[in-house]
Amino acid sequence: MNAEVLRNEFPMLVAGDKEAKPLAFLDSTATTQKPASVIDAMDDFYREHYSSVKRGVYRLSARTTEAFEKTRKDVAKFINAKSEDEIVFTRGTTESINLVAWSYGRKFFEAGDEILISGLEHHANIVSWQLVAEMKGAKIKVIPVRDDGDLDLSKLPELLTPRTKMVAVAHVSNSVGTVNPIAEIIATTRKLAPQAKVLIDAAQSSSHIKIDVQKLDCDFLAFSGHKMYGPTGIGVLYGEYDVLDSMPPWHGGGEMIKNVTFEKTTYADVPARFEAGTPAIAEVIGLGKAIEWLNNVGLDNIRKHEEQITQYALKQLAEIPQVKVLGNPKERGALISITLDGIAVGDAAMILDEENVAVRSGHHCAQPVMDRFGVDATLRLSFGVYTLERDIDRFVAGIKRVVRLFA
């Protein structure tokens, strides 16, 4: 894989390279840039065969429906689901988690039940469970985080009890970069709390690490299109079919029904039961093209490249005394969070923007993680298939300028 060549497939980056100060885009954890093939596929839909799906028998609708459902099959194959019927389209990871909380949780949680999450979670995998826990009288428990940023899994056996109904854990932390050993967590859960369901937040892993839901034996897996070189507004919830089939709909409207009368409504089978209303058709088509693109590049190739870039960045940052890296996990994803001695990270981000270096500052929707490490916010640089060493060099030069200005 040649990252320099692949970078030319991203119109935004090609344009940015022509600016007086070339763009160094280091915010791929928040959202990835889009290759031309994804943009073209969506543009082609709007220009050549725009129509709704499922409802029409005319040729345009049939063509669009075929493309729409092909993506469902492609997603199932991408994560090795047993069937495309286990794939539900949502607006993103956040909505996928909320769907499970509000459908499964409202039906099956009871007072005194326990929901186990980790101390590394994004707010989407915290607040969703807090809302349903408050409604049902359930309790949230947290796997603690060690100083190095890894989860303290020695606590897992005592946290899992006969009252555990859900274990919801991120595959990769969006704030520290920790790659959690989800296979180990799932295996321990199956052994010690077999009644519990397991949800994996794969928002930060779906475009970096090969996922096999059958091998993992998770009940649910959630991820977003825009973090894997696809469009915003589209996400995926994988659910094991029998589990999904036991869950009631959480939105009402068109397409999620079998029959409607004023007296009673019966609901469609999975997955249509969870896809009320006209879907994000162009976005689904874009997601399908993004998956095709990822398959062509190869997740193993992407992971290898990102590991090299991450190690290069860590080495460069280690030479700046004012920089402190948040955590040192055994396995790190394609992101690094830092703080700067005596310098507000928000100020640093603005100076970096003057250099056309795009990074994220703040709590990254992970305030409990910030609290755990005793910081208000971090400066986060994150990488994708198109990240080059020269982008890191631009960032490091910008940080050195920040230090000269504020130190």
Side-chain angles (χ1 to χ4, degrees), residues 175 313-314 317 320 322-326 332 336-340 343 345 348 352 360-362 364 375 377-381 395 399:
S175 53
L314 287 169
L317 292 171
I320 306 175
Q322 293 82 2
V323 170
K324 181 179 180 182
V325 175
L326 195 72
R332 181 186 292 275
I336 303 168
S337 276
I338 67 171
T339 56
L340 299 165
I343 303 171
V345 294
L352 287 164
R360 182 62 61 94
S361 63
H364 315 299
V375 298
T378 69
L379 195 67
R380 186 184 69 191
L381 58 158
F395 174 82
I399 289 296

Side-chain angles (χ1 to χ4, degrees), residues 52 88 101 107 131 150 168 201 216 219 267 270 286 301 329 373 384-385:
S52 193
V88 179
K107 180 174 180 179
L131 290 168
D150 282 318
D201 173 355
L216 284 174
D219 299 288
Y267 304 117
V270 172
N301 294 327
F373 287 95
V385 66

Side-chain angles (χ1 to χ4, degrees), residues 26 39 66 85 88 92 94 119 179 182 229 249 281 291 339 357 393:
L26 296 171
I39 298 169
E66 182 180 1
D85 291 338
V88 179
T94 296
V179 179
I182 55 172
Y229 308 101
I281 304 168
I291 288 174
T339 56
V357 177
D393 294 341

Side-chain angles (χ1 to χ4, degrees), residues 66-332:
E66 182 180 1
F68 184 90
E69 291 301 331
K70 180 182 182 300
T71 296
R72 198 187 304 274
K73 294 176 182 177
D74 291 344
V75 171
K77 186 176 181 180
F78 185 68
I79 61 172
N80 195 32
K82 292 178 183 177
S83 165
E84 64 266 27
D85 291 338
E86 296 180 318
I87 304 302
V88 179
F89 291 130
T90 67
R91 291 183 299 169
T93 307
T94 296
E95 183 167 274
S96 294
I97 296 171
N98 273 273
L99 191 163
V100 177
W102 286 95
S103 177
Y104 187 89
R106 283 199 296 174
K107 180 174 180 179
F108 293 107
F109 290 175
E110 298 177 352
D113 283 343
E114 297 168 353
I115 304 160
L116 181 60
I117 61 177
S118 89
L120 290 172
E121 300 308 313
H122 185 281
H123 294 166
N125 209 27
I126 301 173
V127 180
S128 307
W129 302 113
Q130 288 176 331
L131 290 168
V132 73
E134 183 177 359
M135 175 186 295
K136 303 295 289 189
K139 177 183 179 182
I140 291 178
K141 299 169 73 173
V142 181
I143 305 169
V145 181
R146 302 187 323 204
D147 290 343
D148 60 6
D150 282 318
L151 296 178
D152 186 356
L153 294 184
S154 69
K155 304 294 185 182
L156 193 55
E158 66 188 66
L159 290 167
L160 291 167
T161 77
R163 298 309 303 264
T164 307
K165 281 288 185 69
M166 182 66 66
V167 176
V169 180
H171 193 174
V172 178
S173 161
N174 80 312
S175 53
V176 179
T178 306
V179 179
N180 288 319
I182 55 172
E184 178 185 348
I185 293 170
I186 294 170
T188 303
T189 300
R190 297 301 186 216
K191 180 179 179 180
L192 300 181
Q195 77 287 345
K197 303 303 180 187
V198 178
L199 179 145
I200 301 300
D201 173 355
Q204 300 300 339
S205 61
S206 61
S207 64
H208 307 276
I209 300 170
K210 184 65 177 175
I211 295 171
D212 184 331
V213 293
Q214 292 190 64
K215 185 176 180 180
L216 284 174
D217 190 30
C218 58
D219 299 288
F220 302 103
L221 184 114
F223 56 93
S224 297
H226 75 100
K227 295 181 187 289
M228 50 189 294
Y229 308 101
T232 56
I234 184 64
V236 170
L237 172 67
Y238 157 80
E240 196 279 323
Y241 186 86
D242 289 342
V243 181
L244 286 177
D245 195 44
S246 71
M247 294 161 50
W250 77 309
H251 287 159
E255 287 300 322
M256 48 73 66
I257 56 90
K258 282 185 177 179
N259 186 59
V260 176
T261 69
F262 287 115
E263 290 73 33
K264 183 176 176 60
T265 294
T266 54
Y267 304 117
D269 295 332
V270 172
R273 182 185 309 168
F274 302 108
E275 294 180 358
T278 302
I281 304 168
E283 289 77 7
V284 168
I285 290 171
L287 173 63
K289 184 58 68 170
I291 288 174
E292 178 184 316
W293 188 87
L294 281 167
N295 286 333
N296 288 336
V297 177
L299 284 176
D300 290 340
N301 294 327
I302 293 172
R303 181 68 172 148
K304 181 179 179 181
H305 168 72
E306 291 172 342
E307 286 175 344
Q308 292 172 345
I309 288 292
T310 302
Q311 290 306 310
Y312 180 79
L314 287 169
K315 183 178 179 180
Q316 300 302 310
L317 292 171
E319 297 178 2
I320 306 175
Q322 293 82 2
V323 170
K324 181 179 180 182
V325 175
L326 195 72
N328 182 31
K330 290 179 182 177
E331 186 176 359
R332 181 186 292 275

